[in-house]
Short mmCIF file of all heavy atoms in Angstrom, two decimals:
data_model
loop_
_atom_site.label_atom_id
_atom_site.label_comp_id
_atom_site.label_asym_id
_atom_site.label_seq_id
_atom_site.Cartn_x
_atom_site.Cartn_y
_atom_site.Cartn_z
N PRO A 28 -6.95 -1.61 -39.62
CA PRO A 28 -7.68 -2.85 -39.40
C PRO A 28 -8.84 -2.67 -38.32
O PRO A 28 -9.87 -3.29 -38.49
CB PRO A 28 -6.64 -3.75 -38.83
CG PRO A 28 -5.41 -3.33 -39.45
CD PRO A 28 -5.50 -1.79 -39.49
N SER A 29 -8.70 -1.77 -37.38
CA SER A 29 -9.82 -1.56 -36.38
C SER A 29 -11.04 -0.94 -37.08
O SER A 29 -12.24 -1.31 -36.79
CB SER A 29 -9.38 -0.77 -35.26
OG SER A 29 -9.21 0.56 -35.65
N ALA A 30 -10.83 -0.07 -38.05
CA ALA A 30 -11.95 0.46 -38.81
C ALA A 30 -12.73 -0.64 -39.55
O ALA A 30 -13.94 -0.72 -39.55
CB ALA A 30 -11.49 1.64 -39.73
N SER A 31 -11.99 -1.58 -40.21
CA SER A 31 -12.61 -2.62 -40.94
C SER A 31 -13.36 -3.53 -40.02
O SER A 31 -14.39 -4.21 -40.52
CB SER A 31 -11.48 -3.49 -41.66
OG SER A 31 -10.92 -2.69 -42.70
N ALA A 32 -12.94 -3.68 -38.73
CA ALA A 32 -13.56 -4.53 -37.77
C ALA A 32 -14.96 -3.93 -37.39
O ALA A 32 -15.89 -4.76 -37.04
CB ALA A 32 -12.70 -4.76 -36.58
N PHE A 33 -15.05 -2.63 -37.46
CA PHE A 33 -16.35 -2.00 -36.87
C PHE A 33 -17.21 -1.43 -37.99
O PHE A 33 -18.28 -0.98 -37.72
CB PHE A 33 -15.95 -1.02 -35.89
CG PHE A 33 -15.49 -1.54 -34.62
CD1 PHE A 33 -14.11 -1.60 -34.35
CD2 PHE A 33 -16.34 -1.99 -33.65
CE1 PHE A 33 -13.63 -2.15 -33.15
CE2 PHE A 33 -15.87 -2.57 -32.47
CZ PHE A 33 -14.46 -2.66 -32.15
N MET A 34 -16.67 -1.26 -39.21
CA MET A 34 -17.42 -0.54 -40.23
C MET A 34 -17.48 -1.41 -41.56
O MET A 34 -16.49 -2.12 -41.81
CB MET A 34 -16.81 0.82 -40.54
CG MET A 34 -16.81 1.67 -39.38
SD MET A 34 -15.94 3.29 -39.64
CE MET A 34 -17.14 3.97 -40.73
N SER A 35 -18.59 -1.41 -42.19
CA SER A 35 -18.74 -2.10 -43.42
C SER A 35 -18.07 -1.37 -44.54
O SER A 35 -17.88 -0.16 -44.47
CB SER A 35 -20.13 -2.44 -43.70
OG SER A 35 -20.95 -1.24 -43.77
N GLY A 36 -17.83 -1.95 -45.64
CA GLY A 36 -17.21 -1.35 -46.79
C GLY A 36 -15.76 -1.05 -46.37
O GLY A 36 -15.12 -1.59 -45.56
N GLY A 37 -15.22 -0.10 -47.10
CA GLY A 37 -13.75 0.26 -46.92
C GLY A 37 -13.60 1.82 -47.01
O GLY A 37 -14.66 2.49 -47.02
N PRO A 38 -12.46 2.29 -47.09
CA PRO A 38 -12.32 3.69 -47.13
C PRO A 38 -12.88 4.36 -48.39
O PRO A 38 -13.21 5.54 -48.39
CB PRO A 38 -10.75 3.87 -47.11
CG PRO A 38 -10.15 2.56 -47.43
CD PRO A 38 -11.17 1.50 -47.12
N GLU A 39 -13.09 3.52 -49.43
CA GLU A 39 -13.74 4.06 -50.71
C GLU A 39 -15.25 4.12 -50.66
O GLU A 39 -15.89 4.83 -51.47
CB GLU A 39 -13.25 3.20 -51.95
CG GLU A 39 -13.84 1.93 -51.91
CD GLU A 39 -13.13 0.88 -50.89
OE1 GLU A 39 -12.06 1.13 -50.49
OE2 GLU A 39 -13.79 -0.21 -50.63
N ASP A 40 -15.84 3.52 -49.62
CA ASP A 40 -17.29 3.48 -49.46
C ASP A 40 -17.76 4.93 -49.10
O ASP A 40 -17.25 5.47 -48.09
CB ASP A 40 -17.66 2.52 -48.30
CG ASP A 40 -19.17 2.35 -48.16
OD1 ASP A 40 -19.92 3.35 -48.51
OD2 ASP A 40 -19.60 1.44 -47.67
N PRO A 41 -18.62 5.53 -49.94
CA PRO A 41 -19.00 6.98 -49.63
C PRO A 41 -19.76 7.10 -48.37
O PRO A 41 -19.94 8.29 -47.90
CB PRO A 41 -19.88 7.33 -50.91
CG PRO A 41 -20.33 5.99 -51.47
CD PRO A 41 -19.21 5.01 -51.15
N GLU A 42 -20.33 6.09 -47.77
CA GLU A 42 -21.04 6.26 -46.49
C GLU A 42 -20.07 6.36 -45.31
O GLU A 42 -20.49 6.73 -44.18
CB GLU A 42 -21.97 5.06 -46.32
CG GLU A 42 -23.27 5.08 -47.13
CD GLU A 42 -24.07 6.36 -46.82
OE1 GLU A 42 -24.33 6.70 -45.65
OE2 GLU A 42 -24.53 7.06 -47.75
N ASN A 43 -18.76 5.95 -45.54
CA ASN A 43 -17.77 6.04 -44.44
C ASN A 43 -17.16 7.42 -44.53
O ASN A 43 -16.53 7.82 -45.59
CB ASN A 43 -16.73 4.91 -44.65
CG ASN A 43 -17.22 3.53 -44.34
OD1 ASN A 43 -18.18 3.40 -43.58
ND2 ASN A 43 -16.74 2.57 -45.03
N VAL A 44 -17.35 8.20 -43.43
CA VAL A 44 -16.90 9.60 -43.41
C VAL A 44 -16.09 9.77 -42.12
O VAL A 44 -16.04 8.93 -41.25
CB VAL A 44 -18.04 10.59 -43.49
CG1 VAL A 44 -18.71 10.40 -44.85
CG2 VAL A 44 -18.99 10.37 -42.30
N LEU A 45 -15.53 10.98 -41.97
CA LEU A 45 -14.88 11.39 -40.81
C LEU A 45 -15.66 12.40 -40.03
O LEU A 45 -16.36 13.21 -40.57
CB LEU A 45 -13.51 12.03 -41.17
CG LEU A 45 -12.48 11.18 -41.88
CD1 LEU A 45 -11.43 12.06 -42.53
CD2 LEU A 45 -11.84 10.31 -40.82
N LEU A 46 -15.55 12.27 -38.72
CA LEU A 46 -16.00 13.34 -37.86
C LEU A 46 -14.69 14.11 -37.39
O LEU A 46 -13.80 13.38 -36.74
CB LEU A 46 -16.75 12.82 -36.61
CG LEU A 46 -18.14 12.55 -36.72
CD1 LEU A 46 -18.76 12.09 -35.38
CD2 LEU A 46 -18.97 13.75 -37.23
N GLU A 47 -14.57 15.29 -37.69
CA GLU A 47 -13.43 16.10 -37.34
C GLU A 47 -13.82 16.94 -36.14
O GLU A 47 -14.71 17.72 -36.24
CB GLU A 47 -12.94 16.87 -38.54
CG GLU A 47 -11.73 17.82 -38.24
CD GLU A 47 -11.33 18.53 -39.50
OE1 GLU A 47 -11.90 18.42 -40.57
OE2 GLU A 47 -10.45 19.43 -39.28
N VAL A 48 -13.17 16.83 -35.09
CA VAL A 48 -13.40 17.58 -33.88
C VAL A 48 -12.34 18.65 -33.63
O VAL A 48 -11.13 18.22 -33.45
CB VAL A 48 -13.59 16.75 -32.65
CG1 VAL A 48 -13.90 17.59 -31.44
CG2 VAL A 48 -14.80 15.74 -32.81
N ASP A 49 -12.72 19.88 -33.66
CA ASP A 49 -11.74 20.95 -33.31
C ASP A 49 -11.97 21.35 -31.84
O ASP A 49 -12.99 21.94 -31.54
CB ASP A 49 -11.93 22.16 -34.24
CG ASP A 49 -11.59 21.87 -35.71
OD1 ASP A 49 -10.59 21.22 -35.92
OD2 ASP A 49 -12.31 22.31 -36.59
N GLY A 50 -11.00 20.98 -31.00
CA GLY A 50 -11.15 21.22 -29.63
C GLY A 50 -10.87 22.77 -29.30
O GLY A 50 -9.99 23.41 -29.82
N ASP A 51 -11.78 23.20 -28.43
CA ASP A 51 -11.60 24.62 -27.95
C ASP A 51 -10.94 24.65 -26.58
O ASP A 51 -10.05 25.48 -26.35
CB ASP A 51 -13.00 25.31 -27.83
CG ASP A 51 -13.75 25.34 -29.12
OD1 ASP A 51 -13.03 25.68 -30.16
OD2 ASP A 51 -14.98 25.12 -29.17
N THR A 52 -11.42 23.81 -25.71
CA THR A 52 -10.84 23.76 -24.39
C THR A 52 -10.79 22.32 -23.88
O THR A 52 -11.41 21.42 -24.41
CB THR A 52 -11.73 24.51 -23.39
OG1 THR A 52 -13.05 23.89 -23.29
CG2 THR A 52 -11.85 25.92 -23.69
N ALA A 53 -9.92 22.10 -22.91
CA ALA A 53 -9.81 20.77 -22.25
C ALA A 53 -9.63 20.90 -20.74
O ALA A 53 -9.07 21.89 -20.27
CB ALA A 53 -8.56 20.05 -22.81
N GLN A 54 -10.07 19.95 -20.09
CA GLN A 54 -9.88 19.90 -18.65
C GLN A 54 -9.08 18.57 -18.44
O GLN A 54 -9.35 17.51 -19.03
CB GLN A 54 -11.14 19.78 -17.86
CG GLN A 54 -11.98 21.14 -17.85
CD GLN A 54 -13.17 21.00 -17.02
OE1 GLN A 54 -14.16 20.60 -17.58
NE2 GLN A 54 -13.20 21.43 -15.83
N LEU A 55 -8.10 18.59 -17.51
CA LEU A 55 -7.23 17.51 -17.25
C LEU A 55 -7.18 17.22 -15.69
O LEU A 55 -7.03 18.16 -14.90
CB LEU A 55 -5.73 17.82 -17.66
CG LEU A 55 -4.63 16.90 -17.21
CD1 LEU A 55 -4.83 15.57 -17.79
CD2 LEU A 55 -3.31 17.45 -17.50
N TRP A 56 -7.48 16.03 -15.37
CA TRP A 56 -7.29 15.59 -13.98
C TRP A 56 -6.24 14.50 -14.06
O TRP A 56 -6.43 13.43 -14.57
CB TRP A 56 -8.58 14.94 -13.42
CG TRP A 56 -9.79 15.93 -13.30
CD1 TRP A 56 -10.15 16.61 -12.19
CD2 TRP A 56 -10.68 16.24 -14.26
NE1 TRP A 56 -11.22 17.42 -12.39
CE2 TRP A 56 -11.60 17.15 -13.70
CE3 TRP A 56 -10.90 15.85 -15.62
CZ2 TRP A 56 -12.71 17.65 -14.38
CZ3 TRP A 56 -11.97 16.41 -16.27
CH2 TRP A 56 -12.84 17.30 -15.62
N GLU A 57 -5.11 14.79 -13.43
CA GLU A 57 -4.08 13.82 -13.46
C GLU A 57 -4.25 12.77 -12.39
O GLU A 57 -4.70 13.08 -11.25
CB GLU A 57 -2.72 14.54 -13.29
CG GLU A 57 -2.24 15.35 -14.45
CD GLU A 57 -0.81 15.84 -14.25
OE1 GLU A 57 0.06 14.96 -14.38
OE2 GLU A 57 -0.69 17.04 -14.01
N SER A 58 -3.93 11.57 -12.70
CA SER A 58 -4.06 10.44 -11.72
C SER A 58 -2.96 10.48 -10.76
O SER A 58 -1.75 10.57 -11.11
CB SER A 58 -4.18 9.13 -12.52
OG SER A 58 -4.16 8.05 -11.64
N PRO A 59 -3.31 10.19 -9.50
CA PRO A 59 -2.26 10.04 -8.46
C PRO A 59 -1.59 8.68 -8.57
O PRO A 59 -0.69 8.39 -7.79
CB PRO A 59 -2.98 10.30 -7.13
CG PRO A 59 -4.36 9.81 -7.35
CD PRO A 59 -4.65 10.11 -8.85
N GLY A 60 -2.04 7.85 -9.42
CA GLY A 60 -1.57 6.45 -9.53
C GLY A 60 -2.32 5.58 -8.55
O GLY A 60 -3.12 6.06 -7.73
N LYS A 61 -2.19 4.29 -8.79
CA LYS A 61 -3.02 3.36 -8.01
C LYS A 61 -2.75 3.46 -6.50
O LYS A 61 -3.68 3.52 -5.66
CB LYS A 61 -2.81 1.93 -8.45
CG LYS A 61 -3.37 1.73 -9.84
CD LYS A 61 -3.12 0.30 -10.32
CE LYS A 61 -3.72 0.09 -11.71
NZ LYS A 61 -3.46 -1.19 -12.31
N LEU A 62 -1.43 3.51 -6.10
CA LEU A 62 -1.13 3.66 -4.64
C LEU A 62 -1.66 4.92 -4.15
O LEU A 62 -2.23 4.96 -3.01
CB LEU A 62 0.42 3.51 -4.50
CG LEU A 62 0.86 3.57 -3.03
CD1 LEU A 62 0.22 2.49 -2.25
CD2 LEU A 62 2.40 3.55 -2.96
N GLY A 63 -1.46 6.02 -4.79
CA GLY A 63 -1.97 7.38 -4.29
C GLY A 63 -3.45 7.29 -4.17
O GLY A 63 -3.93 7.88 -3.21
N MET A 64 -4.14 6.65 -5.09
CA MET A 64 -5.59 6.62 -5.03
C MET A 64 -6.10 5.77 -3.76
O MET A 64 -6.98 6.12 -3.01
CB MET A 64 -6.21 5.92 -6.26
CG MET A 64 -7.69 5.96 -6.37
SD MET A 64 -8.35 7.68 -6.47
CE MET A 64 -8.06 8.01 -8.20
N LEU A 65 -5.29 4.70 -3.53
CA LEU A 65 -5.63 3.81 -2.39
C LEU A 65 -5.45 4.52 -1.10
O LEU A 65 -6.22 4.45 -0.17
CB LEU A 65 -4.90 2.52 -2.46
CG LEU A 65 -5.28 1.48 -3.51
CD1 LEU A 65 -4.22 0.31 -3.60
CD2 LEU A 65 -6.67 1.00 -3.19
N VAL A 66 -4.36 5.35 -0.97
CA VAL A 66 -4.03 6.10 0.26
C VAL A 66 -5.13 7.14 0.44
O VAL A 66 -5.64 7.30 1.61
CB VAL A 66 -2.67 6.71 0.14
CG1 VAL A 66 -2.44 7.71 1.24
CG2 VAL A 66 -1.54 5.75 0.19
N THR A 67 -5.58 7.80 -0.59
CA THR A 67 -6.53 8.79 -0.53
C THR A 67 -7.88 8.26 0.02
O THR A 67 -8.56 8.74 0.79
CB THR A 67 -6.77 9.55 -1.90
OG1 THR A 67 -5.51 10.16 -2.21
CG2 THR A 67 -7.84 10.61 -1.88
N MET A 68 -8.17 7.14 -0.67
CA MET A 68 -9.44 6.42 -0.26
C MET A 68 -9.39 5.98 1.19
O MET A 68 -10.39 6.05 1.96
CB MET A 68 -9.76 5.26 -1.15
CG MET A 68 -10.23 5.65 -2.57
SD MET A 68 -10.38 4.26 -3.71
CE MET A 68 -11.61 3.33 -2.92
N ALA A 69 -8.29 5.36 1.58
CA ALA A 69 -8.14 4.87 3.01
C ALA A 69 -8.22 6.03 4.02
O ALA A 69 -8.97 5.89 5.00
CB ALA A 69 -6.79 4.23 3.16
N LYS A 70 -7.71 7.13 3.71
CA LYS A 70 -7.72 8.43 4.55
C LYS A 70 -9.27 8.90 4.65
O LYS A 70 -9.70 9.17 5.78
CB LYS A 70 -6.86 9.49 4.09
CG LYS A 70 -5.39 9.32 4.41
CD LYS A 70 -4.58 10.52 3.93
CE LYS A 70 -3.15 10.31 4.19
NZ LYS A 70 -2.40 11.50 3.72
#
């Protein structure tokens, strides 16, 4: 349903295509959580 909300036509419309992304690398920054972020900012 989200696709229908943002794109005209349907899955059979030849103008609707996929972008396929093959990831090579990723970087991850884990969140300390809201409390941890507030403590870090306060310090």
Side-chain angles (χ1 to χ4, degrees):
S29 68
S31 295
F33 290 97
M34 299 178 67
S35 60
E39 67 285 341
D40 184 335
E42 285 298 315
N43 292 330
V44 296
L45 293 163
L46 277 181
E47 179 180 354
V48 177
D49 293 320
D51 299 320
T52 61
Q54 289 181 278
L55 167 67
W56 294 267
E57 289 190 73
S58 172
K61 290 180 183 176
L62 181 59
M64 186 67 76
L65 288 173
V66 169
T67 300
M68 288 175 61
K70 285 182 178 180

